[in-house]
Amino acid sequence: MTTSPIERAADSFAAELARHRTGRGLTKKQLATLMGFDPSYVSHVEGRRHRPTEDFARRAEAVLEASGAIWQRFREYDELRHARSAPPHREPPAPGQWMPPGTGLIVEREQASLRYADEAYHCVIRRELYNAGTEPVTRYLVRVAVDRYPNDPGRSNRHHREHPLTFAELRLRAYREDSGEREPMHWRAKHDRDAFKEIWLLFENADGRFPLYPGDRATIEYAYQVGREKWGPWFQRAVRVPTRRLEVWLDLPVEADPQVWGVETSLSAEEGPLRTPVVRRVDGDRAIFEWATDDPPLNARYRMQWRFRSRRVDADPSRRPAVARPSDRMRALGVVQRGADLLRQPARQFDLPRDERTAREVVDRLAATLDRLDELHPFSKGVGIAAPQLGLGWSAAIVRPPDRTDEPVVLLNPRVVDAAGDADEQYEGCLSFFDHRGLVPRPLRVDVEHAQWDGSRVITAFEYAMARLVAHEIDHLEGRLYVDRMAPGVPLVPVEEYRETGNPWRY
């Protein structure tokens, strides 16, 4: 049987990984523990059942100290993979400039403070960084998100559409500190949404460049401000890079009589109270609230919330906004809910390249909704959304991989052309009825033919979790819901009773 160049490159990577692992005298389980992966994942990569990701390759290279050999095999595989798919919408990362979360970069300490004064919130973030990887770091990704009415998503979305957050009002400034020197950092926008910004902080300025080289440490600081009319009473920290210590301060006026509490969410636990209390002290006319934690898990989220009791308009508890159910939050984001006719209709195909402009507008809407979803819920299994779920009757969908190491996959006019005979059953959720989960059988591999922006068509193979996610979204484009795939008599499980929230699918 003839193998393709990309298959041979993946085999070379697996062989190189196995050679260095056995040379170090490590079992697959031991290597997985050192890398922070599930042991079955390492076994699948070595057994050629999973293709390597950049995150996996960087961690393996760092742990096994392979002098670049493992990384080189991955680069050879990755170049062939991108050459085959070559998605026009994706801008390839510049060599040596991108470090995915959890690989070589470590935050040894983060200090995050938020001060309310003069009808505005002033945020300052300091991160002590250590480059434990094998390549210089030349930029660092940060996020700014606002949510004026966190207990009323619909109202908040309408508010930010009418009053979008702008880069100009942020007055963003950033610095790198090293050995007593303080260098301003230039920055560049990556994503610009009404209520969400992603920004590259660049290790450079008009006077030159100052990369963070392997083995070096530096502190970066960035600050911005947002007016009270756009910033709701919450301050969230999300752990996207391995972090040794996280410290959070709220600085609020005593005269407002602030009451502060906190909640945390992780991939293994639903939202619950902070495990340690928030400490309050008074400094003159300011109330300072402090909280800290050591070694927070990756993808954990910690949210401080407050209310100013002296400024309450309505003290009647019965008139407080009700806590929104998951489906209410989805509906408020504009996600069409089960029962709508559009979810049962086949989507309209794009005529590409003639419809390219329309297709890009639809994909931009989908991407913006994914960004917003990311602030509302931790999707440990990955997440996808199809155009009909936003009331758009076009054949387009976006799928974000579970490990988040790659850009979301864009599917235009997709159709399954082949599927593996082997299948399994896993619980799925759907943004269009998010209050329930259902046990759904899916093939372990699907081959999908889909269109490029220029109208050409390619075939991409998806396996395991990605196969399930992609098949789910293609069902939406064909007018199906996952309940149509469930075995007769198998009931839906209310989300309150579902016990696998935060756990990835098992293969």
Side-chain angles (χ1 to χ4, degrees), residues 100-410:
T103 56
L105 199 62
I106 295 173
V107 176
E108 297 187 313
R109 184 183 187 189
E110 174 178 325
Q111 298 171 300
S113 65
L114 187 71
R115 175 181 173 86
Y116 179 65
D118 302 321
E119 297 297 313
Y121 288 95
H122 306 263
C123 182
V124 179
I125 310 293
R126 286 179 60 85
R127 291 194 177 104
E128 298 173 10
L129 304 179
Y130 171 58
N131 186 354
T134 58
E135 296 184 13
V137 176
T138 61
R139 58 183 182 175
Y140 188 91
L141 187 66
V142 300
R143 300 181 180 187
V144 178
V146 294
D147 190 355
R148 182 62 184 87
Y149 305 104
N151 291 324
D152 192 342
R155 183 184 181 192
S156 199
N157 285 334
R158 291 191 297 272
H159 179 78
H160 292 303
R161 279 196 297 269
E162 296 170 1
H163 308 284
L165 183 69
T166 67
F167 281 108
E169 71 186 281
L170 289 178
R171 300 183 185 178
L172 179 69
R173 52 212 182 275
Y175 306 91
R176 169 184 164 150
E177 296 180 5
D178 188 11
S179 302
E181 298 292 327
R182 187 176 171 90
E183 287 279 0
M185 300 176 72
H186 284 175
W187 58 270
R188 183 170 69 246
K190 180 185 179 186
H191 284 136
D192 183 4
R193 313 293 189 199
D194 291 345
F196 177 85
K197 310 294 184 202
E198 279 195 331
I199 305 152
W200 286 113
L201 302 184
L202 307 178
F203 285 72
E204 61 182 70
N205 56 32
D207 296 326
R209 299 181 177 183
F210 34 87
L212 181 61
Y213 286 100
D216 286 350
R217 289 177 166 83
T219 297
I220 63 170
E221 177 182 299
Y222 62 98
Y224 58 89
Q225 66 181 49
V226 178
R228 181 174 179 268
E229 73 280 1
K230 295 182 182 179
W231 188 289
W234 63 279
F235 186 37
Q236 179 169 286
R237 311 309 308 148
V239 182
R240 298 186 175 92
V241 175
T243 300
R244 299 292 176 253
R245 182 169 176 81
L246 171 64
E247 301 173 2
V248 184
W249 292 276
L250 288 180
D251 182 345
L252 306 173
V254 167
E255 65 176 358
D257 191 14
Q259 178 190 22
V260 175
W261 65 97
V263 295
E264 64 179 82
T265 308
S266 72
L267 294 182
S268 59
E270 299 235 22
E271 183 178 287
L274 295 174
R275 300 187 184 188
T276 54
V278 177
V279 177
R280 181 183 188 271
R281 61 183 174 87
V282 175
D283 184 1
D285 62 351
R286 310 297 298 180
I288 312 298
F289 298 86
E290 302 178 4
W291 179 82
T293 185
D294 291 319
D295 297 317
L298 271 177
N299 299 310
R301 299 182 187 192
Y302 303 94
R303 174 178 285 212
M304 308 281 278
Q305 298 176 263
W306 61 91
R307 62 187 177 96
F308 294 145
R309 287 176 288 194
S310 68
R311 298 182 181 181
R312 291 175 62 190
V313 176
D314 187 352
D316 182 0
S318 66
R319 299 184 61 181
R320 295 176 189 169
V323 176
R325 288 185 57 77
S327 59
D328 295 331
R329 291 172 179 253
M330 297 302 112
R331 185 180 291 107
L333 284 178
V335 178
V336 175
Q337 295 300 296
R338 185 183 180 188
D341 291 341
L342 188 60
L343 294 180
R344 288 302 190 179
Q345 299 172 8
R348 177 183 175 185
Q349 300 274 302
F350 293 104
D351 181 4
L352 296 169
R354 189 181 71 176
D355 290 337
E356 180 181 352
R357 180 175 179 180
T358 300
R360 289 189 181 276
E361 289 174 352
V362 171
V363 169
D364 285 346
R365 282 277 305 276
L366 295 171
T369 302
L370 275 189
D371 288 340
R372 193 76 180 87
L373 285 167
D374 191 46
E375 294 301 314
L376 293 178
H377 186 84
F379 290 91
S380 60
K381 297 177 174 67
V383 63
I385 188 168
Q389 293 180 277
L390 294 184
L392 307 171
W394 290 98
S395 184
I398 290 185
V399 177
R400 190 176 66 200
D403 55 13
R404 304 186 182 214
T405 57
D406 289 326
E407 291 291 321
V409 173
V410 174

Side-chain angles (χ1 to χ4, degrees), residues 408-475:
V409 173
V410 174
L411 298 170
L412 303 174
N413 299 345
R415 67 185 185 96
V416 176
V417 295
D418 193 20
D422 295 334
D424 74 335
E425 286 189 322
Q426 305 269 10
Y427 278 97
E428 292 183 14
C430 180
L431 302 177
S432 292
F433 46 107
F434 210 50
D435 295 332
H436 295 85
R437 301 294 182 265
L439 191 60
V440 186
R442 298 278 188 192
L444 295 178
R445 190 204 77 250
V446 293
D447 294 341
V448 177
E449 183 184 55
H450 54 104
Q452 306 289 73
W453 302 108
D454 63 2
S456 62
R457 295 188 70 81
V458 297
I459 295 177
T460 304
F462 300 97
E463 296 181 320
Y464 301 102
M466 278 300 289
R468 180 170 290 276
L469 290 165
V470 167
H472 180 112
E473 299 312 321
I474 292 178
D475 274 354

